[in-house]
Amino acid sequence: MLNKRKEIFSDWIKVRGAREHNLKNIDVDIPKNTLTVITGPSGSGKSSLAMDILFTEGKRRYMESLSSYARQFLGIAPKPDFDSIEGLCPAVAIEQKTVGTNPRSTVGTITEIYDYLRVLFARIGIVHCPDCHTPITAQSPEHITQMILRNFGNQRITVAAPVAIEKKGEFVHELEKLFQNGYYRFIIDGQSYRFRSPEDIQALKLKKTYKHSIDLLIDAIEIHGAERTRVQEAIETAFKLAKGVVKVIVGDTEYLYSSQSVCLRCAVSIPEIEPRLFSFNSPLGACPECHGLGSIQSWPWSEDDPDYWKSSYPEFFGKYATENECHACGGQRLNKQALAITVGDKNIFQMGQLSVKHLLQFYAHLQLGESALAIGQGLIKEIVARLEFLHNVGLSYLTLNRSARTLSGGEGQRIRLATQIGSALSGVLYVLDEPSIGLHQRDNDRLIATLHALRDQGNTVVVVEHDIDTMRQADYLIDMGPAAGVLGGRVTAAGTPHELATNSASLTGGYLSGKHSIERTGAIRKPTGNLVLNHAKANNLRDITVAFPLGVMCGISGVSGSGKSTLIMQELVPALSTVLSRKNRIGETGDSRLSGVQSIENMVVIDQSPIGRTPRSNPATYLGIFDAIRTLFASLPESKARGYKSGRFSFNVAEGRCFECRGDGVIKVEMHFLPEVTMVCKSCKGKRYDAQTLQITFKDKNIADVLDMTALEAAQFFSAHAPIAKRLALLCEVGLDYLKLGQASTTLSGGEAQRIKLVDELSKRGKGTLYILDEPTTGLHNSDVERLLAVLNSLIDKGNSMIIIEHNIDVLKTVDYLIDLGPDGGDEGGLVVAQGAPHEVANNPKSYTGNYLKRALAQENL
């Protein structure tokens, strides 16, 4: 078999002795120029192998090839724990992380399509007057002179050449050259200067990191007919010195004219048409009122209010402000000059409001003149290519103006994937972390085709994935296991999809072959009531009324962008939160948008945000177990005799933690242009606490020993302490029995973090609660999904209700009731296409989800 495999795959990446995290000194061979899927239960070591070994070492080796000067700016990750790797390529990771929280980031900017659009508009855009909207054609100095004589008769004007407009630099050489040519009067950053010698220019000392505006004053003229020649000569001189731009100063008012963009009717000019005019991040293009944000914050304090100072610090006190659409630009972010330029009768904002799908149609039918076509053809080709990449990874419903902050992790990852395909690199190792997350089965085939395209460019594609369809179409599979945590970290099987399906040692193989599958365990439940939401119309929802059955597991499905998250997270959750807060406070339950709330006591929302961003956060601290454990240690006789309080047992408090490492357990040493060195603290030997604190023991275990326990060990150890034992038992039930209590949250996988949040909520309430989960199967192997569904079903059986946003067909076929949105994504979605029991939705020909459900139910009945 090995010889046959070597014939199929000629070149290999060979990993020997990998020991990172829970990897058990494993040897792995990965064929090059293939699509390889690494799978296995959550916590089995998939990401440790893919991200922490392959990607980190590939990136580190490339960085080491650079000069020491470059490395000190880039930084180099420490070498992972392995013996050797042969055949490794430079590596690029496409991870599940948000693309950015900057309010200025949009889909267009992060894909760089907006940059191409800015160049396109600057080169072939048709200029219109922002006031009268008539097209503006190029004007000669004669025409501009006529306009000045007509509009500014009997007034004194100053003609200036704007040699720099908001540009960085010292400008010493430029000013000296102008001075040598006889020009000595300038306005620099709003201040007038008259230079008498080159020394005056050198003494100016403009900071090269600041943006400066410099106007060369050419002539001051009293306007009347006899001065026509003088005015025209001054304008022609300004055009030569400022590349076709002239500034006319009349009193305190400045008029900027261009040889290309002047409206003779309104005496208004458009600034020089350049790409940054269309950037809402540039002062040239941004709306002057909202500075390119499209919205203005309104604060609850007046200027004489003592709290008014808080409005100067929106990053800290932004929660008190309300976002209102900018009245000047109407939320379009750009100034009126930029918005007055069109291509195909659309300005750049209107073009960005089109979905990727409709933008492709727009360019397919765009008619351009001969000159514009010759100039813009290459740009349009690049724009269309990038739009097609987005379309091919299932993001055809997105608009370029959509804020990056509203994108899910899966959408962000697929955007980065589309960008990498556009770069057309070859010989690269691409490592992807579950690219199918948040993707409907309908779009999965296009994603797989995209991964094949990336491979066919001459790259090695390694994907951490649980999706069965992706595995079946992979070239090679590596199955990690056999279980999770300390029980995982081994390669249980490796080979082609067919080889794994026939391998009895592979847990995944059973699901590939159909021997194992996720099935419903009981009869379909009947609703105990309905929660009705009226007039949902946020984003793309089309003023729909939806009835959510209570007392059952209700699934929300639909293609990507159909409105699932909008319906639940932006419509139902805020409305229900408002009603429940009134109900709990003053007993009111009336609300014009909601009915059927009477039987709901609480609402719990479990989304995909991480549980912590620092190594000091861990499962024990997040679940509150650590507080109870510290209280237990503080109540021991020895602690009382020494006067120790519960704070003594926190590694965040100075009095009990190790002085050397400050409770980190490790010491990091900066090495300038070399990677920082992380060493186990010699004082506490990684235990985080000082010697006195570690002398306090409970059942012969000190606080550091407890943090080093797995959830299963700790559940047995604290079995007599109900508050602690309850949460630990829940951890074990959702399949996290292998996690250590003190494991840093930064090392947790996405599936682990979400299940910890679920445990936190499960431990708080009994019945009458509505649980809302956003793709709870994210990052879970099919075997883990079965365990999770058992926990969720037990919750419903206790008298609770559940709404699950989900794409996983195996989960959707087991729900009691299904609401399918669509029919498509973006502005073609926002409707309820089908609803009812899974088999009823499966028989609805209008539902994309129903088509896949029908196949899944048919296979189950074979």
PDB file of all heavy atoms in Angstrom, residues 121-122 124-130 133-138 260-263 268-273 277-278 337-338 340-343:
ATOM      1  N   PHE A 121     -12.304  55.073 -11.125  1.00  0.00           N
ATOM      2  CA  PHE A 121     -13.065  56.327 -11.118  1.00  0.00           C
ATOM      3  C   PHE A 121     -12.153  57.521 -11.400  1.00  0.00           C
ATOM      4  O   PHE A 121     -12.570  58.488 -12.044  1.00  0.00           O
ATOM      5  CB  PHE A 121     -13.782  56.506  -9.784  1.00  0.00           C
ATOM      6  CG  PHE A 121     -15.147  55.878  -9.743  1.00  0.00           C
ATOM      7  CD1 PHE A 121     -15.289  54.507  -9.612  1.00  0.00           C
ATOM      8  CD2 PHE A 121     -16.293  56.647  -9.860  1.00  0.00           C
ATOM      9  CE1 PHE A 121     -16.541  53.911  -9.594  1.00  0.00           C
ATOM     10  CE2 PHE A 121     -17.553  56.066  -9.845  1.00  0.00           C
ATOM     11  CZ  PHE A 121     -17.680  54.693  -9.708  1.00  0.00           C
ATOM     12  N   ALA A 122     -10.901  57.455 -10.911  1.00  0.00           N
ATOM     13  CA  ALA A 122      -9.973  58.562 -11.143  1.00  0.00           C
ATOM     14  C   ALA A 122      -9.562  58.655 -12.609  1.00  0.00           C
ATOM     15  O   ALA A 122      -9.257  59.741 -13.102  1.00  0.00           O
ATOM     16  CB  ALA A 122      -8.737  58.403 -10.263  1.00  0.00           C
ATOM     17  N   ILE A 124     -11.322  57.069 -15.524  1.00  0.00           N
ATOM     18  CA  ILE A 124     -12.358  57.131 -16.566  1.00  0.00           C
ATOM     19  C   ILE A 124     -13.684  57.698 -16.052  1.00  0.00           C
ATOM     20  O   ILE A 124     -14.662  57.707 -16.788  1.00  0.00           O
ATOM     21  CB  ILE A 124     -12.601  55.744 -17.205  1.00  0.00           C
ATOM     22  CG1 ILE A 124     -13.255  54.791 -16.201  1.00  0.00           C
ATOM     23  CG2 ILE A 124     -11.314  55.151 -17.747  1.00  0.00           C
ATOM     24  CD1 ILE A 124     -13.752  53.496 -16.832  1.00  0.00           C
ATOM     25  N   GLY A 125     -13.722  58.143 -14.798  1.00  0.00           N
ATOM     26  CA  GLY A 125     -14.962  58.667 -14.238  1.00  0.00           C
ATOM     27  C   GLY A 125     -15.425  59.923 -14.961  1.00  0.00           C
ATOM     28  O   GLY A 125     -14.612  60.763 -15.375  1.00  0.00           O
ATOM     29  N   ILE A 126     -16.725  60.049 -15.138  1.00  0.00           N
ATOM     30  CA  ILE A 126     -17.319  61.249 -15.758  1.00  0.00           C
ATOM     31  C   ILE A 126     -17.621  62.236 -14.632  1.00  0.00           C
ATOM     32  O   ILE A 126     -18.371  61.937 -13.691  1.00  0.00           O
ATOM     33  CB  ILE A 126     -18.597  60.890 -16.530  1.00  0.00           C
ATOM     34  CG1 ILE A 126     -18.261  59.928 -17.679  1.00  0.00           C
ATOM     35  CG2 ILE A 126     -19.272  62.150 -17.067  1.00  0.00           C
ATOM     36  CD1 ILE A 126     -19.472  59.394 -18.406  1.00  0.00           C
ATOM     37  N   VAL A 127     -17.037  63.435 -14.745  1.00  0.00           N
ATOM     38  CA  VAL A 127     -17.147  64.434 -13.687  1.00  0.00           C
ATOM     39  C   VAL A 127     -18.428  65.238 -13.869  1.00  0.00           C
ATOM     40  O   VAL A 127     -18.731  65.703 -14.968  1.00  0.00           O
ATOM     41  CB  VAL A 127     -15.924  65.373 -13.698  1.00  0.00           C
ATOM     42  CG1 VAL A 127     -16.012  66.375 -12.550  1.00  0.00           C
ATOM     43  CG2 VAL A 127     -14.636  64.567 -13.611  1.00  0.00           C
ATOM     44  N   HIS A 128     -19.176  65.385 -12.769  1.00  0.00           N
ATOM     45  CA  HIS A 128     -20.376  66.216 -12.759  1.00  0.00           C
ATOM     46  C   HIS A 128     -20.215  67.325 -11.728  1.00  0.00           C
ATOM     47  O   HIS A 128     -19.477  67.157 -10.751  1.00  0.00           O
ATOM     48  CB  HIS A 128     -21.623  65.389 -12.405  1.00  0.00           C
ATOM     49  CG  HIS A 128     -21.963  64.339 -13.414  1.00  0.00           C
ATOM     50  ND1 HIS A 128     -21.274  63.147 -13.490  1.00  0.00           N
ATOM     51  CD2 HIS A 128     -22.908  64.307 -14.392  1.00  0.00           C
ATOM     52  CE1 HIS A 128     -21.790  62.403 -14.456  1.00  0.00           C
ATOM     53  NE2 HIS A 128     -22.771  63.090 -15.026  1.00  0.00           N
ATOM     54  N   CYS A 129     -20.914  68.418 -11.953  1.00  0.00           N
ATOM     55  CA  CYS A 129     -20.926  69.486 -10.960  1.00  0.00           C
ATOM     56  C   CYS A 129     -21.688  69.001  -9.734  1.00  0.00           C
ATOM     57  O   CYS A 129     -22.819  68.513  -9.865  1.00  0.00           O
ATOM     58  CB  CYS A 129     -21.591  70.736 -11.535  1.00  0.00           C
ATOM     59  SG  CYS A 129     -21.822  72.051 -10.308  1.00  0.00           S
ATOM     60  N   PRO A 130     -21.112  69.120  -8.530  1.00  0.00           N
ATOM     61  CA  PRO A 130     -21.818  68.640  -7.339  1.00  0.00           C
ATOM     62  C   PRO A 130     -23.070  69.451  -7.005  1.00  0.00           C
ATOM     63  O   PRO A 130     -23.900  68.995  -6.224  1.00  0.00           O
ATOM     64  CB  PRO A 130     -20.769  68.771  -6.232  1.00  0.00           C
ATOM     65  CG  PRO A 130     -19.781  69.754  -6.738  1.00  0.00           C
ATOM     66  CD  PRO A 130     -19.767  69.621  -8.221  1.00  0.00           C
ATOM     67  N   HIS A 133     -25.166  69.247 -11.146  1.00  0.00           N
ATOM     68  CA  HIS A 133     -25.120  67.872 -11.666  1.00  0.00           C
ATOM     69  C   HIS A 133     -24.938  67.791 -13.181  1.00  0.00           C
ATOM     70  O   HIS A 133     -25.197  66.754 -13.778  1.00  0.00           O
ATOM     71  CB  HIS A 133     -26.378  67.093 -11.261  1.00  0.00           C
ATOM     72  CG  HIS A 133     -26.626  67.096  -9.780  1.00  0.00           C
ATOM     73  ND1 HIS A 133     -25.784  66.490  -8.879  1.00  0.00           N
ATOM     74  CD2 HIS A 133     -27.606  67.691  -9.051  1.00  0.00           C
ATOM     75  CE1 HIS A 133     -26.244  66.684  -7.652  1.00  0.00           C
ATOM     76  NE2 HIS A 133     -27.339  67.411  -7.726  1.00  0.00           N
ATOM     77  N   THR A 134     -24.510  68.878 -13.813  1.00  0.00           N
ATOM     78  CA  THR A 134     -24.216  68.816 -15.240  1.00  0.00           C
ATOM     79  C   THR A 134     -22.795  68.288 -15.447  1.00  0.00           C
ATOM     80  O   THR A 134     -21.905  68.552 -14.628  1.00  0.00           O
ATOM     81  CB  THR A 134     -24.328  70.210 -15.889  1.00  0.00           C
ATOM     82  OG1 THR A 134     -23.447  71.106 -15.200  1.00  0.00           O
ATOM     83  CG2 THR A 134     -25.748  70.716 -15.821  1.00  0.00           C
ATOM     84  N   PRO A 135     -22.573  67.524 -16.516  1.00  0.00           N
ATOM     85  CA  PRO A 135     -21.217  67.016 -16.763  1.00  0.00           C
ATOM     86  C   PRO A 135     -20.232  68.165 -16.940  1.00  0.00           C
ATOM     87  O   PRO A 135     -20.549  69.209 -17.510  1.00  0.00           O
ATOM     88  CB  PRO A 135     -21.370  66.214 -18.056  1.00  0.00           C
ATOM     89  CG  PRO A 135     -22.822  65.882 -18.135  1.00  0.00           C
ATOM     90  CD  PRO A 135     -23.543  67.031 -17.513  1.00  0.00           C
ATOM     91  N   ILE A 136     -19.022  67.952 -16.423  1.00  0.00           N
ATOM     92  CA  ILE A 136     -17.971  68.964 -16.518  1.00  0.00           C
ATOM     93  C   ILE A 136     -16.901  68.454 -17.472  1.00  0.00           C
ATOM     94  O   ILE A 136     -16.371  67.356 -17.301  1.00  0.00           O
ATOM     95  CB  ILE A 136     -17.343  69.245 -15.136  1.00  0.00           C
ATOM     96  CG1 ILE A 136     -18.397  69.820 -14.183  1.00  0.00           C
ATOM     97  CG2 ILE A 136     -16.163  70.188 -15.249  1.00  0.00           C
ATOM     98  CD1 ILE A 136     -17.898  70.025 -12.773  1.00  0.00           C
ATOM     99  N   THR A 137     -16.603  69.292 -18.474  1.00  0.00           N
ATOM    100  CA  THR A 137     -15.569  68.920 -19.439  1.00  0.00           C
ATOM    101  C   THR A 137     -14.299  69.713 -19.159  1.00  0.00           C
ATOM    102  O   THR A 137     -14.314  70.692 -18.409  1.00  0.00           O
ATOM    103  CB  THR A 137     -16.054  69.207 -20.871  1.00  0.00           C
ATOM    104  OG1 THR A 137     -16.417  70.584 -20.952  1.00  0.00           O
ATOM    105  CG2 THR A 137     -17.241  68.333 -21.219  1.00  0.00           C
ATOM    106  N   ALA A 138     -13.208  69.276 -19.785  1.00  0.00           N
ATOM    107  CA  ALA A 138     -11.924  69.958 -19.571  1.00  0.00           C
ATOM    108  C   ALA A 138     -12.013  71.404 -20.056  1.00  0.00           C
ATOM    109  O   ALA A 138     -12.606  71.694 -21.098  1.00  0.00           O
ATOM    110  CB  ALA A 138     -10.824  69.223 -20.314  1.00  0.00           C
ATOM    111  N   GLN A 260      -9.107  70.515 -15.838  1.00  0.00           N
ATOM    112  CA  GLN A 260      -9.951  69.402 -16.272  1.00  0.00           C
ATOM    113  C   GLN A 260     -11.361  69.461 -15.686  1.00  0.00           C
ATOM    114  O   GLN A 260     -12.275  68.903 -16.250  1.00  0.00           O
ATOM    115  CB  GLN A 260      -9.305  68.075 -15.854  1.00  0.00           C
ATOM    116  CG  GLN A 260      -7.969  67.821 -16.506  1.00  0.00           C
ATOM    117  CD  GLN A 260      -7.348  66.518 -16.056  1.00  0.00           C
ATOM    118  OE1 GLN A 260      -7.791  65.931 -15.066  1.00  0.00           O
ATOM    119  NE2 GLN A 260      -6.327  66.064 -16.757  1.00  0.00           N
ATOM    120  N   SER A 261     -11.549  70.097 -14.550  1.00  0.00           N
ATOM    121  CA  SER A 261     -12.813  69.938 -13.832  1.00  0.00           C
ATOM    122  C   SER A 261     -13.348  71.270 -13.309  1.00  0.00           C
ATOM    123  O   SER A 261     -13.192  71.601 -12.139  1.00  0.00           O
ATOM    124  CB  SER A 261     -12.635  68.981 -12.653  1.00  0.00           C
ATOM    125  OG  SER A 261     -11.938  67.832 -13.041  1.00  0.00           O
ATOM    126  N   VAL A 262     -13.972  72.067 -14.187  1.00  0.00           N
ATOM    127  CA  VAL A 262     -14.533  73.354 -13.773  1.00  0.00           C
ATOM    128  C   VAL A 262     -15.934  73.494 -14.329  1.00  0.00           C
ATOM    129  O   VAL A 262     -16.174  73.249 -15.507  1.00  0.00           O
ATOM    130  CB  VAL A 262     -13.666  74.531 -14.275  1.00  0.00           C
ATOM    131  CG1 VAL A 262     -14.252  75.854 -13.813  1.00  0.00           C
ATOM    132  CG2 VAL A 262     -12.242  74.383 -13.789  1.00  0.00           C
ATOM    133  N   CYS A 263     -16.894  73.840 -13.452  1.00  0.00           N
ATOM    134  CA  CYS A 263     -18.266  74.105 -13.890  1.00  0.00           C
ATOM    135  C   CYS A 263     -18.406  75.611 -14.105  1.00  0.00           C
ATOM    136  O   CYS A 263     -18.388  76.390 -13.147  1.00  0.00           O
ATOM    137  CB  CYS A 263     -19.275  73.623 -12.855  1.00  0.00           C
ATOM    138  SG  CYS A 263     -20.999  73.961 -13.304  1.00  0.00           S
ATOM    139  N   VAL A 268     -17.830  76.420  -9.756  1.00  0.00           N
ATOM    140  CA  VAL A 268     -17.391  75.385  -8.822  1.00  0.00           C
ATOM    141  C   VAL A 268     -16.441  74.450  -9.558  1.00  0.00           C
ATOM    142  O   VAL A 268     -16.667  74.124 -10.721  1.00  0.00           O
ATOM    143  CB  VAL A 268     -18.593  74.581  -8.279  1.00  0.00           C
ATOM    144  CG1 VAL A 268     -18.129  73.346  -7.504  1.00  0.00           C
ATOM    145  CG2 VAL A 268     -19.443  75.457  -7.388  1.00  0.00           C
ATOM    146  N   SER A 269     -15.391  74.042  -8.879  1.00  0.00           N
ATOM    147  CA  SER A 269     -14.468  73.104  -9.504  1.00  0.00           C
ATOM    148  C   SER A 269     -14.329  71.860  -8.655  1.00  0.00           C
ATOM    149  O   SER A 269     -14.525  71.897  -7.450  1.00  0.00           O
ATOM    150  CB  SER A 269     -13.094  73.742  -9.709  1.00  0.00           C
ATOM    151  OG  SER A 269     -12.431  73.842  -8.471  1.00  0.00           O
ATOM    152  N   ILE A 270     -13.998  70.782  -9.319  1.00  0.00           N
ATOM    153  CA  ILE A 270     -13.663  69.533  -8.635  1.00  0.00           C
ATOM    154  C   ILE A 270     -12.150  69.515  -8.462  1.00  0.00           C
ATOM    155  O   ILE A 270     -11.420  69.880  -9.386  1.00  0.00           O
ATOM    156  CB  ILE A 270     -14.114  68.321  -9.478  1.00  0.00           C
ATOM    157  CG1 ILE A 270     -15.627  68.362  -9.729  1.00  0.00           C
ATOM    158  CG2 ILE A 270     -13.725  67.010  -8.796  1.00  0.00           C
ATOM    159  CD1 ILE A 270     -16.477  68.089  -8.523  1.00  0.00           C
ATOM    160  N   PRO A 271     -11.639  69.102  -7.302  1.00  0.00           N
ATOM    161  CA  PRO A 271     -10.175  69.014  -7.153  1.00  0.00           C
ATOM    162  C   PRO A 271      -9.593  68.049  -8.174  1.00  0.00           C
ATOM    163  O   PRO A 271     -10.308  67.330  -8.868  1.00  0.00           O
ATOM    164  CB  PRO A 271     -10.002  68.475  -5.724  1.00  0.00           C
ATOM    165  CG  PRO A 271     -11.281  68.756  -5.038  1.00  0.00           C
ATOM    166  CD  PRO A 271     -12.342  68.723  -6.085  1.00  0.00           C
ATOM    167  N   GLU A 272      -8.289  68.039  -8.245  1.00  0.00           N
ATOM    168  CA  GLU A 272      -7.618  67.131  -9.167  1.00  0.00           C
ATOM    169  C   GLU A 272      -8.110  65.706  -8.957  1.00  0.00           C
ATOM    170  O   GLU A 272      -8.165  65.217  -7.824  1.00  0.00           O
ATOM    171  CB  GLU A 272      -6.103  67.192  -8.952  1.00  0.00           C
ATOM    172  CG  GLU A 272      -5.332  66.303  -9.902  1.00  0.00           C
ATOM    173  CD  GLU A 272      -3.839  66.338  -9.630  1.00  0.00           C
ATOM    174  OE1 GLU A 272      -3.419  67.066  -8.721  1.00  0.00           O
ATOM    175  OE2 GLU A 272      -3.104  65.617 -10.325  1.00  0.00           O
ATOM    176  N   ILE A 273      -8.516  65.056 -10.037  1.00  0.00           N
ATOM    177  CA  ILE A 273      -9.102  63.725  -9.925  1.00  0.00           C
ATOM    178  C   ILE A 273      -7.980  62.704  -9.739  1.00  0.00           C
ATOM    179  O   ILE A 273      -7.267  62.375 -10.682  1.00  0.00           O
ATOM    180  CB  ILE A 273      -9.945  63.376 -11.169  1.00  0.00           C
ATOM    181  CG1 ILE A 273     -10.959  64.490 -11.448  1.00  0.00           C
ATOM    182  CG2 ILE A 273     -10.654  62.043 -10.950  1.00  0.00           C
ATOM    183  CD1 ILE A 273     -11.892  64.783 -10.303  1.00  0.00           C
ATOM    184  N   LEU A 277      -9.045  60.951  -3.853  1.00  0.00           N
ATOM    185  CA  LEU A 277     -10.281  61.720  -3.764  1.00  0.00           C
ATOM    186  C   LEU A 277     -11.458  60.817  -3.425  1.00  0.00           C
ATOM    187  O   LEU A 277     -12.453  61.261  -2.851  1.00  0.00           O
ATOM    188  CB  LEU A 277     -10.538  62.446  -5.092  1.00  0.00           C
ATOM    189  CG  LEU A 277     -11.846  63.238  -5.196  1.00  0.00           C
ATOM    190  CD1 LEU A 277     -11.837  64.416  -4.228  1.00  0.00           C
ATOM    191  CD2 LEU A 277     -12.068  63.748  -6.622  1.00  0.00           C
ATOM    192  N   PHE A 278     -11.346  59.521  -3.758  1.00  0.00           N
ATOM    193  CA  PHE A 278     -12.444  58.577  -3.522  1.00  0.00           C
ATOM    194  C   PHE A 278     -12.224  57.743  -2.260  1.00  0.00           C
ATOM    195  O   PHE A 278     -12.941  56.774  -2.029  1.00  0.00           O
ATOM    196  CB  PHE A 278     -12.594  57.653  -4.736  1.00  0.00           C
ATOM    197  CG  PHE A 278     -12.832  58.403  -6.009  1.00  0.00           C
ATOM    198  CD1 PHE A 278     -11.777  58.691  -6.870  1.00  0.00           C
ATOM    199  CD2 PHE A 278     -14.095  58.860  -6.336  1.00  0.00           C
ATOM    200  CE1 PHE A 278     -11.978  59.401  -8.034  1.00  0.00           C
ATOM    201  CE2 PHE A 278     -14.310  59.571  -7.506  1.00  0.00           C
ATOM    202  CZ  PHE A 278     -13.248  59.850  -8.356  1.00  0.00           C
ATOM    203  N   GLN A 337     -17.916  66.353  -3.939  1.00  0.00           N
ATOM    204  CA  GLN A 337     -17.132  66.346  -5.168  1.00  0.00           C
ATOM    205  C   GLN A 337     -16.850  64.910  -5.627  1.00  0.00           C
ATOM    206  O   GLN A 337     -16.981  64.589  -6.810  1.00  0.00           O
ATOM    207  CB  GLN A 337     -15.816  67.098  -4.970  1.00  0.00           C
ATOM    208  CG  GLN A 337     -15.961  68.602  -4.850  1.00  0.00           C
ATOM    209  CD  GLN A 337     -16.271  69.037  -3.435  1.00  0.00           C
ATOM    210  OE1 GLN A 337     -16.312  68.200  -2.522  1.00  0.00           O
ATOM    211  NE2 GLN A 337     -16.488  70.327  -3.236  1.00  0.00           N
ATOM    212  N   ALA A 338     -16.469  64.042  -4.669  1.00  0.00           N
ATOM    213  CA  ALA A 338     -16.181  62.653  -5.029  1.00  0.00           C
ATOM    214  C   ALA A 338     -17.435  61.921  -5.490  1.00  0.00           C
ATOM    215  O   ALA A 338     -17.393  61.099  -6.420  1.00  0.00           O
ATOM    216  CB  ALA A 338     -15.559  61.920  -3.836  1.00  0.00           C
ATOM    217  N   ALA A 340     -19.840  63.165  -7.043  1.00  0.00           N
ATOM    218  CA  ALA A 340     -20.355  63.719  -8.291  1.00  0.00           C
ATOM    219  C   ALA A 340     -19.703  63.085  -9.510  1.00  0.00           C
ATOM    220  O   ALA A 340     -19.997  63.467 -10.639  1.00  0.00           O
ATOM    221  CB  ALA A 340     -20.135  65.234  -8.313  1.00  0.00           C
ATOM    222  N   ILE A 341     -18.813  62.121  -9.305  1.00  0.00           N
ATOM    223  CA  ILE A 341     -18.109  61.466 -10.418  1.00  0.00           C
ATOM    224  C   ILE A 341     -18.688  60.065 -10.600  1.00  0.00           C
ATOM    225  O   ILE A 341     -18.839  59.315  -9.627  1.00  0.00           O
ATOM    226  CB  ILE A 341     -16.600  61.408 -10.120  1.00  0.00           C
ATOM    227  CG1 ILE A 341     -16.063  62.836  -9.952  1.00  0.00           C
ATOM    228  CG2 ILE A 341     -15.852  60.684 -11.218  1.00  0.00           C
ATOM    229  CD1 ILE A 341     -14.664  62.917  -9.431  1.00  0.00           C
ATOM    230  N   THR A 342     -19.015  59.722 -11.837  1.00  0.00           N
ATOM    231  CA  THR A 342     -19.724  58.463 -12.079  1.00  0.00           C
ATOM    232  C   THR A 342     -19.025  57.616 -13.139  1.00  0.00           C
ATOM    233  O   THR A 342     -18.305  58.117 -13.998  1.00  0.00           O
ATOM    234  CB  THR A 342     -21.173  58.720 -12.552  1.00  0.00           C
ATOM    235  OG1 THR A 342     -21.138  59.418 -13.800  1.00  0.00           O
ATOM    236  CG2 THR A 342     -21.948  59.530 -11.530  1.00  0.00           C
ATOM    237  N   VAL A 343     -19.279  56.321 -13.042  1.00  0.00           N
ATOM    238  CA  VAL A 343     -18.927  55.357 -14.084  1.00  0.00           C
ATOM    239  C   VAL A 343     -20.185  54.530 -14.328  1.00  0.00           C
ATOM    240  O   VAL A 343     -20.725  53.928 -13.402  1.00  0.00           O
ATOM    241  CB  VAL A 343     -17.763  54.444 -13.653  1.00  0.00           C
ATOM    242  CG1 VAL A 343     -17.582  53.309 -14.668  1.00  0.00           C
ATOM    243  CG2 VAL A 343     -16.466  55.227 -13.503  1.00  0.00           C
TER     244      VAL A 343
END
